[in-house]
Amino acid sequence: MEQPVQGGVTTQPLEEPRTPEAVAITPLITPQAPGGDAEQATEEDQSTPGTTASTEATTTPPIQDNATETPPAPVEVAPAVITTGKTATSNDSQAMEQAPEASAQSTQAETSTTASTTPDIHQQAPAAETPPVTPSAPATAQRPEATMSVAPSPVDVARIDRGLDWSQCAADRSPRHPPSLPIADTSTRIEADAADLYRSEGRADFSGNVQVEHANERLQADHVTYLKGGNTLDAEGNVYLEQPGLRVTGSEMHYNLNTRQGSAEQAEFRLTDPLARGNAGTAEILNTDQSRYSDVRYTTCPPGNSDWQVEAEEIEIDQASGVGVARHAKLRFKGVPFIYLPYATFPIDDRRKSGFLPPTIGSSENSGADASIPYYFNIAPHLDATFTPRIMSKRGILLGGEFRYLTERNKGEVRGELLPSDSERGPGENSTRGALNMLLNGTPAPRWSYDINLNYVSDNDYLDDLGASLAATSVQHQERRGDVQYFGDGWSFLGRAQQFQTIDSTIALNDRPYSRLPQLLLNLEKPDQAMGLTYHLRSEYVHFGHSSDNKVKGERFDLQPGVSLPLRRPWGFLTPKLSLHHTRYSLENQTPGLSDNPSRTLPTLSLDSGLYFDRGGNWFGNAITHTLEPRLYYLYTPKEDQSDLPDFDTGALDFSFANLFRENRFSGVDKVGDANQLTTALTTRGLSSASGEELFRASIGQIFYFRDREVQLISSGAVPQEDSSSIVAEVAARLSREWRMQAGLQWNPHASGNETERGAFGIHYLDERRRILNLTYRYTNGSIEQTDLSARWPITHRLHAVGRWNYSLLHETSMETFAGVEYESCCWVSRFVVRDYRTDANADGNLALFLQLELKGLTSLGDKIDQFLERGILGYHTDN
């Protein structure tokens, strides 16, 4: 669902910030007097070069040649200010108050196997004697000369983006951010090159490559001051904070480890799920989910690219709700501000929220300048609604609305439009116009389902004048249908009510479709019965109504039981089938002289058979299995005069390869064609030996008639006397990884003039760079002859041309033509299309212009051209 950019909606407060439990400190450094007795430690501040104080990890002191190993005594100490090499660690403030002060003369230290700055030392090191320090001086740890070197910290820009995949143009949209830091415990770990401890003040200073880890958070800086009273950190110089979903750098930062609240100056930030970035004069971390930024610039473009950005006095990000709130915001594109909002909310992910959706702006000859401004209501997780005022310069204001629901078993959409006064309506025409559409379906109980489709328009020209501008559809009838269906074990039941609203005024009243009020269908298919038989049953009751008083109407009952014996082997199949077709009517307005209760009973016998032959082969360098599949289908139905039966819903089927194997050449059950015929067909396939994919297929078939087909839709119609049907052939092939083609032909060998009755040919190109080329030709003798060319092709690396040309050779006019350009960068897409189309060959053309600007990760402005291109260009798709 498209996400809104909203004005005037406040964000609901979230739960109170979580406060971590008190940090448990286990001192691992045990300072000792020269004699090794821990109880001799003094209560003055200490400064001991070459040792470490730690909450959970220790380091290795310098090793002297004359040192002897002295076991450490288990003495609690305050958070230390003792360093070795790079590492210094600090305990919780509780330990600072409880531990006795250590001697200022000398100490001995213990190192832990859990963390060591010297990679090849993993056992206890012997304690070393250290020189005394002046008791009045603060405890200052100096970096010794003999320790291992530490590489400098990476620059902030590289550090803040480390592990983030900003390549939004890439086809692979795998997770774009690394996992969060693991939550091992709630203790605090600090590492630094040097440390100073002021126990009387409850303060510790750390400097040089300082790293603080607390739960699943990490802070790095040049200098950090730790205050035990509030369990807070004050960091300066190259400050970097990382927590799940957020990264912040700044010149300085204050952070509370208990409340997980803090602030940073001159900040740069990253949202990692989904990706977004920005910089701000001040960044405030309100809790683990919310953050606030002042004097801020926000974008989803990758670093180094700010083609679009939101500049605001203040932006608040709530990652729990997926909403951003901006105050006094300007949206800039290519450095040019084009939207100002004093207050706006916007999505930071794909979750729904109430607010204004992107406006749609366009122009057409029917409506003039055309703008829609939808407002979206996120009523509940399973309910939403949209209200859309649409302003048309030629016609006025149209009010549209949509309501949707989605539950575990049901879903539905209800859409309505009302144009109170259409300025373009002529004298005598109703200027109030509108439309209604309802789509409901679901499964209210096991095996039960329902499907409702209701449509209404106020007048015949409504869809042409006011239909969706990019998908203007000329339909003749609006369906109104409701289905209830039950699925049993091998059988199903359908109850249906169906009506049509004819909106094409040129269709005569008597030629309009019947209603079915109601239609009841019971179908049964039971395979693997006695002796391998399959039982078939189709039964129907329907009442046909009509708006014309002169049309015949009434009830129809149809029953078609049958039995078949499928015999299948790896090399072929044989399926004999016998069925009976009984139909009875109860009619009104029947033609004088004909029965009001006509009936018909006919048996049908069929025999379907086929063989499979295969061998190895080669197709453009690919190993294939080449098959040859001959098929014979015999059909017999005796002739019966059906001239007294009405034609409620029956028509002649299009002749095609699939229809060579049907039992009845008519759709519906009002007519059952007489038959004594044999279908012969041959299919060959090439199947990839590696994957089983069908690389090519070619089929050809024809029916041979052993008698004339006397049953026709019109009783007085001419009876075909040819002894064979037209020849039908189909071909489909994958020529290469990018090229595919298909073709079809219906050829009448008995025609004296134009033997080709129907033909189609299409070739399609689609490669990994999404270059598309489609060329199609369609022909139906006397009614259709069209060419259709569509493409998406690169002009430059980011700029693509799109277009389609659908031309009627029969009427010598273009049915639809559109052309445009599409520019796509890593963080925005722009599309522009000019379209000229006709609803039929004799209608006037309608020229329209459409523009879309999609800011990736924020919103899309203008018409939904991407959806239109997906319908108009075969193979076109977006990653949205």
Side-chain angles (χ1 to χ4, degrees):
M1 177 178 297
E2 192 171 13
Q3 296 299 307
V5 174
Q6 176 202 358
V9 175
T10 60
T11 302
Q12 296 296 326
L14 300 179
E15 60 185 6
E16 293 297 324
R18 293 173 292 177
T19 303
E21 299 178 358
V23 180
I25 303 300
T26 305
L28 298 180
I29 303 301
T30 55
Q32 295 181 332
D37 189 357
E39 282 73 15
Q40 297 177 6
T42 67
E43 294 183 353
E44 295 183 354
D45 290 349
Q46 60 177 337
S47 177
T48 310
T51 61
T52 298
S54 173
T55 55
E56 294 187 321
T58 62
T59 57
T60 305
I63 301 175
Q64 301 179 7
D65 294 337
N66 60 352
T68 60
E69 183 173 353
T70 304
V75 178
E76 293 183 331
V77 297
V81 184
I82 320 169
T83 66
T84 175
K86 176 178 181 292
T87 303
T89 56
S90 172
N91 290 329
D92 185 79
S93 59
Q94 294 180 359
M96 184 179 288
E97 296 175 342
Q98 297 171 359
E101 299 196 7
S103 171
Q105 302 300 320
S106 64
T107 63
Q108 292 181 341
E110 171 191 5
T111 50
S112 168
T113 61
T114 59
S116 173
T117 57
T118 308
D120 58 345
I121 300 177
H122 300 285
Q123 298 178 355
Q124 283 188 341
E129 188 172 335
T130 57
V133 296
T134 304
S136 60
T140 303
Q142 302 296 331
R143 184 171 182 169
E145 295 293 330
T147 58
M148 63 179 287
S149 62
V150 178
S153 301
V155 297
D156 285 344
V157 173
R159 177 171 53 183
I160 198 172
D161 290 310
R162 188 179 303 151
L164 302 181
D165 179 14
W166 287 95
S167 56
Q168 297 186 47
C169 290
D172 182 10
R173 297 294 181 89
S174 56
R176 299 170 295 177
H177 57 86
S180 303
L181 295 173
I183 305 178
D185 51 48
T186 57
S187 61
T188 302
R189 173 187 175 91
I190 303 179
E191 296 181 356
D193 292 341
D196 296 333
L197 171 63
Y198 302 88
R199 277 185 298 169
S200 59
E201 301 178 17
R203 174 168 63 90
D205 291 341
F206 300 89
S207 59
N209 299 310
V210 185
Q211 297 191 38
V212 182
E213 291 186 8
H214 176 78
N216 56 354
E217 299 174 305
R218 176 187 296 140
L219 184 144
Q220 299 174 354
D222 293 339
H223 182 272
V224 172
T225 296
Y226 171 76
L227 298 178
K228 70 176 182 66
N231 200 21
T232 61
L233 302 171
D234 287 289
E236 296 179 352
N238 296 316
V239 181
Y240 172 73
L241 174 69
E242 179 179 351
Q243 57 181 215
L246 178 66
R247 300 178 179 184
V248 179
T249 66
S251 58
E252 58 185 60
M253 177 180 291
H254 174 78
Y255 193 72
N256 190 306
L257 294 172
N258 290 335
T259 64
R260 298 190 178 183
Q261 294 177 326
S263 61
E265 301 298 324
Q266 303 302 315
E268 187 167 358
F269 63 91
R270 301 288 187 267
L271 304 181
T272 62
D273 189 15
L275 282 176
R277 67 178 182 88
N279 54 72
T282 302
E284 298 178 71
I285 301 171
L286 306 179
N287 52 51
T288 55
D289 295 318
Q290 294 176 294
S291 53
R292 182 188 299 125
Y293 308 91
S294 302
D295 187 19
V296 58
R297 285 148 295 282
Y298 171 91
T299 184
T300 61
C301 294
N305 183 334
S306 296
D307 285 348
W308 73 262
Q309 64 178 2
V310 177
E311 293 183 359
E313 183 178 296
E314 180 182 279
I315 288 181
E316 186 169 325
I317 301 293
D318 189 339
Q319 293 175 283
S321 63
V323 175
V325 179
R327 292 175 174 84
H328 299 289
K330 293 181 290 186
L331 177 59
R332 287 183 178 269
F333 181 69
K334 289 293 186 178
V336 179
F338 66 97
I339 293 179
Y340 169 79
L341 292 172
Y343 177 89
T345 66
F346 58 91
I348 63 172
D349 54 28
D350 293 333
R351 280 174 285 184
R352 307 180 312 172
K353 61 178 292 297
S354 297
F356 284 104
L357 296 174
T360 299
I361 302 173
S363 176
S364 68
E365 293 182 349
N366 270 339
S367 303
D370 192 338
S372 299
I373 309 174
Y375 188 89
Y376 174 76
F377 298 91
N378 185 23
I379 303 171
H382 66 290
L383 299 173
D384 66 9
T386 306
F387 174 67
T388 308
R390 179 181 173 189
I391 304 172
M392 297 167 285
S393 62
K394 288 186 177 182
R395 298 185 179 274
I397 299 177
L398 182 147
L399 304 177
E402 178 187 56
F403 172 76
R404 304 189 304 177
Y405 66 88
L406 176 64
T407 66
E408 183 178 354
R409 293 183 173 272
N410 306 277
K411 67 178 180 179
E413 297 181 14
V414 180
R415 286 174 284 189
E417 295 177 340
L418 176 64
L419 179 59
S421 180
D422 188 349
S423 304
E424 290 288 293
R425 298 291 277 178
E429 294 181 313
N430 188 355
S431 62
T432 301
R433 311 175 73 184
L436 178 67
N437 169 252
M438 182 182 297
L439 297 172
L440 313 174
N441 58 75
T443 54
R447 297 178 180 259
W448 285 96
S449 69
Y450 67 91
D451 187 15
I452 298 173
N453 183 4
L454 301 179
N455 298 278
Y456 165 80
V457 293
S458 59
D459 55 83
N460 298 337
D461 300 323
Y462 186 89
L463 292 180
D464 291 340
D465 293 343
L466 300 167
S469 56
L470 280 176
T473 304
S474 179
V475 296
Q476 295 179 330
H477 311 287
Q478 288 283 298
E479 184 185 28
R480 301 166 183 174
R481 173 182 51 80
D483 292 349
V484 176
Q485 195 162 8
Y486 181 84
F487 297 93
D489 295 329
W491 64 277
S492 64
F493 169 79
L494 171 68
R496 171 176 293 168
Q498 185 181 41
Q499 260 188 339
F500 294 90
Q501 178 191 6
T502 300
I503 60 175
D504 187 347
S505 58
T506 63
I507 299 177
L509 185 62
N510 285 343
D511 294 333
R512 299 181 181 185
Y514 282 92
S515 63
R516 295 182 176 99
L517 298 172
Q519 180 184 21
L520 306 176
L521 283 167
L522 177 64
N523 293 319
L524 180 143
E525 192 79 12
K526 287 284 188 179
D528 303 322
Q529 300 302 303
M531 297 182 293
L533 295 173
T534 297
Y535 301 147
H536 312 271
L537 176 66
R538 183 190 184 277
S539 59
E540 177 194 49
Y541 167 80
V542 59
H543 181 275
F544 290 99
H546 202 276
S547 56
S548 173
D549 295 333
N550 299 323
K551 290 283 288 186
V552 61
K553 59 190 74 173
E555 301 173 346
R556 182 183 73 195
F557 174 75
D558 183 72
L559 185 66
Q560 300 178 45
V563 61
S564 65
L565 181 61
L567 303 173
R568 299 183 180 90
R569 297 292 185 271
W571 43 264
F573 68 92
L574 179 67
T575 305
K577 181 180 179 182
L578 178 64
S579 60
L580 186 69
H581 201 146
H582 174 75
T583 310
R584 176 174 292 275
Y585 296 85
S586 177
L587 304 175
E588 302 174 14
N589 297 334
Q590 174 67 304
T591 303
L594 299 180
S595 171
D596 291 338
N597 302 104
S599 65
R600 174 200 60 214
T601 303
L602 287 171
T604 295
L605 172 66
S606 66
L607 183 64
D608 196 3
S609 62
L611 296 173
Y612 303 119
F613 302 94
D614 64 77
R615 66 174 185 177
N618 185 281
W619 176 259
F620 291 99
N622 298 310
I624 65 169
T625 299
H626 185 196
T627 72
L628 195 63
E629 306 167 25
R631 184 177 179 183
L632 296 176
Y633 178 75
Y634 176 76
L635 177 67
Y636 177 79
T637 301
K639 171 187 174 296
E640 181 175 328
D641 184 11
Q642 303 172 45
S643 59
D644 57 341
L645 304 183
D647 291 338
F648 285 133
D649 58 359
T650 298
L653 290 169
D654 289 337
F655 198 68
S656 66
F657 186 82
N659 289 340
L660 295 176
F661 308 97
R662 288 180 60 96
E663 291 186 358
N664 191 5
R665 61 180 178 269
F666 302 108
S667 65
V669 300
D670 295 315
K671 290 289 186 291
V672 175
D674 55 325
N676 186 6
Q677 61 191 47
L678 178 67
T679 298
T680 60
L682 181 65
T683 297
T684 181
R685 308 174 197 267
L687 307 176
S688 170
S689 300
S691 64
E693 179 186 4
E694 186 179 86
L695 301 181
F696 72 86
R697 181 187 71 255
S699 301
I700 187 170
Q702 185 180 24
I703 301 176
F704 293 93
Y705 303 110
F706 303 129
R707 75 173 185 208
D708 295 339
R709 286 92 60 217
E710 298 185 33
V711 178
Q712 301 296 316
L713 279 177
I714 302 176
S715 301
S716 59
V719 176
Q721 297 181 347
E722 293 85 0
D723 58 1
S724 63
S725 71
S726 299
I727 297 173
V728 180
E730 296 178 350
V731 177
R734 197 191 79 172
L735 304 177
S736 69
R737 188 172 182 177
E738 294 82 16
W739 287 96
R740 296 177 182 268
M741 63 83 62
Q742 69 275 337
L745 179 68
Q746 179 179 325
W747 184 75
N748 187 354
H750 308 290
S752 57
N754 190 352
E755 293 86 358
T756 302
E757 296 176 330
R758 190 186 300 264
F761 172 81
I763 187 166
H764 312 280
Y765 178 88
L766 174 62
D767 63 14
E768 294 179 349
R769 295 170 56 190
R770 292 163 56 184
R771 295 184 297 182
I772 302 171
L773 179 63
N774 302 307
L775 176 61
T776 304
Y777 172 81
R778 293 183 294 270
Y779 171 81
T780 300
N781 189 20
S783 60
I784 297 175
E785 187 174 9
Q786 292 182 353
T787 59
D788 198 337
L789 174 65
S790 61
R792 178 187 187 266
W793 209 258
I795 301 173
T796 65
H797 176 64
R798 300 191 181 278
L799 184 65
H800 293 77
V802 294
R804 180 186 183 188
W805 181 29
N806 181 211
Y807 183 78
S808 173
L809 298 171
L810 184 65
H811 299 94
E812 298 183 344
T813 187
S814 295
M815 300 300 297
E816 180 183 35
T817 303
F818 68 78
V821 292
E822 176 184 60
Y823 181 89
E824 180 171 8
S825 74
C826 285
C827 60
W828 63 277
V829 181
S830 180
R831 301 179 180 96
F832 175 73
V833 168
V834 180
R835 183 190 185 208
D836 183 31
Y837 64 96
R838 290 173 172 80
T839 54
D840 61 66
N842 298 319
D844 294 333
N846 184 26
L847 183 65
L849 307 177
F850 306 102
L851 178 64
Q852 179 184 29
L853 176 61
E854 178 185 340
L855 306 179
K856 294 183 180 180
L858 184 69
T859 189
S860 177
L861 307 173
D863 296 284
K864 297 180 175 64
I865 300 179
D866 52 340
Q867 299 178 13
F868 167 67
L869 295 177
E870 288 179 355
R871 293 190 298 265
I873 302 177
L874 179 64
Y876 181 96
H877 73 278
T878 63
D879 295 323
N880 296 335

